[in-house]
Amino acid sequence: MVSRAERTVLADWWWTVDRYTLGALGVLMVAGLVFLMGGAPPVAERLGLPTFHFVNRQVLYLVPAILLLVGTSLLSPRQVRRMALIVFLAGMALIVAALYVGPEVKGSRRWISLAGITVQPSEFVKPAFVVLVAWLFAEGGRRRDMPGTILAVLLLPLTIVPLILQPDIGQTMLVTVVWATVFFAAGLHIFWVAGIGGMGLAGLVAAYEFIPHVRARIERFFNDDVGDTFQVDMAMESFAQGGWLGKGPGEGTVKRILPDAHTDFIFAATAEEFGIVVCIAIVLLFAFIVIRSLILARRNDDPFCRLAVTGLATLFGIQASINMMVNVHLLPAKGMTLPFISYGGSSLFSLAIGMGFLIALTRRRPRAEIFDATPRWGEVR
């Protein structure tokens, strides 16, 4: 046990961090490995890989991800801003590079290979974007001589245009919704919120008209007779077969033919083996993390920390909601992972950075330290 009397970095971190959020994230990671052991083996076998190929790789990803989360949570607000700026610039550069040299997968160029490792840069841009937007809105509200709000508004198209060109409409919508949430939390009038919502709806209509795979997914969602609905049908069958208590670990049968049972549809694979009760528990766990984070954000005296935590919690919660709603056929199919549960290195590392930022910004700090970390216009301190 770490003593309160110790004056070390680890001791200071332990006694200032929100251990409820940290514990909930730990439970989520462990649960993710358990659920992946059920959903991943059939996928590996269909691909001719060792049975626990994806599980073993997820463990290899999870260890450095935990270290990354803890290391990021040690940062001060000033260091969080600096790291976010570096991650954002590097991520945007890789997104642009992927448009030219990245492999085309299902009509999109979202991935790029670095030293033999394939990464999805947009995953890393999301948490960094939230932190930068929160900083700009906070400074715009604090200082009249800084055009923070204007810069935050300009940062949105700068970020989403490359995503549209990939195209990645799901990530574009997610980034836009989170940006609007932070803008609203910063004091945006409800009139402008409605205007942003209208522009988002217009963008969705444009995507439907001009991007074939978006149109196909939306039409399949509203009309089962149009196109292939096998994936969604099998997901719904997983819930029906599992019932309230599930068939038991390793006893699922629908998962053997369910596409992407280790990534996008791991929630459905979990329902078959562990039951709807466990799925409800997962929903409550995500809800606890989001609500707890929003409560901590409200208590924070620093506008930047308050806005950044609000945005990061919203990003985390909406991503989880989209994945689970797709699994129960409440939204059209979209390749978005379930945080800390779905298989994937890029997703896991980006989530570690995002939640590390959140934990760092919700740590209990003296008021003098908070306001000493407030940057002046022209510097990211």
Side-chain angles (χ1 to χ4, degrees):
M1 185 66 181
V2 181
S3 171
R4 286 182 179 270
E6 290 186 32
R7 295 299 178 186
T8 63
V9 174
L10 181 60
D12 179 62
W13 174 82
W14 177 250
W15 291 110
T16 57
V17 76
D18 183 64
R19 293 193 287 276
Y20 291 106
T21 304
L22 193 64
L25 290 173
V27 171
L28 204 56
M29 292 178 191
V30 173
L33 283 180
V34 174
F35 300 148
L36 195 63
M37 291 180 69
V43 180
E45 291 171 0
R46 288 201 301 268
L47 296 174
L49 300 171
T51 302
F52 291 100
H53 170 81
F54 293 113
V55 177
N56 293 335
R57 289 181 67 88
Q58 187 77 344
V59 172
L60 292 177
Y61 293 146
L62 189 59
V63 172
I66 292 173
L67 295 177
L68 180 60
L69 189 151
V70 173
T72 305
S73 70
L74 292 169
L75 301 178
S76 66
R78 180 187 308 171
Q79 293 167 332
V80 166
R81 287 189 288 268
R82 288 176 174 174
M83 181 175 174
L85 179 60
I86 294 171
V87 172
F88 178 81
L89 293 176
M92 290 303 299
L94 291 176
I95 287 176
V96 174
L99 294 174
Y100 296 96
V101 300
E104 184 172 331
V105 180
K106 297 180 180 180
S108 299
R109 295 184 181 273
R110 306 175 187 176
W111 302 84
I112 191 168
S113 181
L114 298 175
I117 301 174
T118 304
V119 298
Q120 187 176 0
S122 60
E123 292 286 352
F124 297 91
V125 166
K126 290 185 297 185
F129 171 81
V130 172
V131 171
L132 292 180
V133 166
W135 173 66
L136 290 171
F137 278 134
E139 286 304 294
R142 180 187 289 123
R143 299 175 59 88
R144 292 187 176 182
D145 60 332
M146 177 180 177
T149 300
I150 295 175
L151 292 175
V153 171
L154 294 176
L155 191 61
L156 178 64
L158 178 66
T159 304
I160 66 174
V161 167
L163 294 177
I164 295 172
L165 294 176
Q166 288 185 332
D168 192 343
I169 303 303
Q171 299 286 19
T172 300
M173 293 180 62
L174 178 60
V175 167
T176 304
V177 169
V178 174
W179 176 87
T181 301
V182 176
F183 202 171
F184 178 71
L188 178 67
H189 193 277
I190 191 66
F191 172 79
W192 294 109
V193 174
I196 292 171
M199 288 188 292
L201 183 60
L204 185 60
V205 171
Y208 174 81
E209 290 293 335
F210 298 108
I211 303 178
H213 81 269
V214 172
R215 173 182 293 197
R217 288 183 175 182
I218 293 176
E219 288 180 348
R220 284 199 302 268
F221 177 73
F222 287 106
N223 186 359
D224 292 342
D225 296 329
V226 177
D228 182 13
T229 60
F230 177 78
Q231 195 170 31
V232 173
D233 292 341
M234 290 301 99
M236 296 303 294
E237 182 65 20
S238 296
F239 283 92
Q241 291 287 331
W244 286 102
L245 301 178
K247 292 183 174 180
E251 299 299 321
T253 55
V254 180
K255 69 176 184 180
R256 300 187 183 281
I257 56 175
L258 175 64
D260 300 323
H262 63 318
T263 53
D264 300 348
F265 285 86
I266 193 170
F267 191 62
T270 299
E272 183 184 14
E273 296 200 341
F274 296 92
I276 296 174
V277 170
V278 170
C279 289
I280 293 174
I282 296 172
V283 174
L284 293 176
L285 185 58
F286 279 114
F288 172 80
I289 294 172
V290 172
I291 294 172
R292 176 69 181 175
S293 299
L294 293 177
I295 290 173
L296 294 173
R298 186 183 180 189
R299 294 175 182 172
N300 205 304
D301 292 324
D302 180 36
F304 160 67
C305 292
R306 186 165 57 247
L307 292 177
V309 172
T310 299
L312 291 167
T314 302
L315 176 66
F316 183 79
I318 291 179
Q319 180 170 332
S321 298
I322 290 174
N323 177 279
M324 292 184 287
M325 291 173 73
V326 166
N327 275 249
V328 295
H329 201 33
L330 291 177
L331 282 177
K334 174 67 194 80
M336 196 165 291
T337 59
L338 188 59
F340 292 115
I341 293 180
S342 295
Y343 168 81
S346 294
S347 174
L348 198 56
F349 291 139
S350 69
L351 286 164
I353 292 174
M355 299 313 289
F357 284 162
L358 186 147
I359 293 172
L361 297 174
T362 54
R363 288 173 58 191
R364 294 182 294 275
R365 291 184 173 88
R367 290 176 61 88
E369 180 181 339
I370 293 175
F371 292 106
D372 178 63
T374 301
R376 291 183 290 272
W377 166 232
E379 61 177 340
V380 183
R381 297 201 296 127

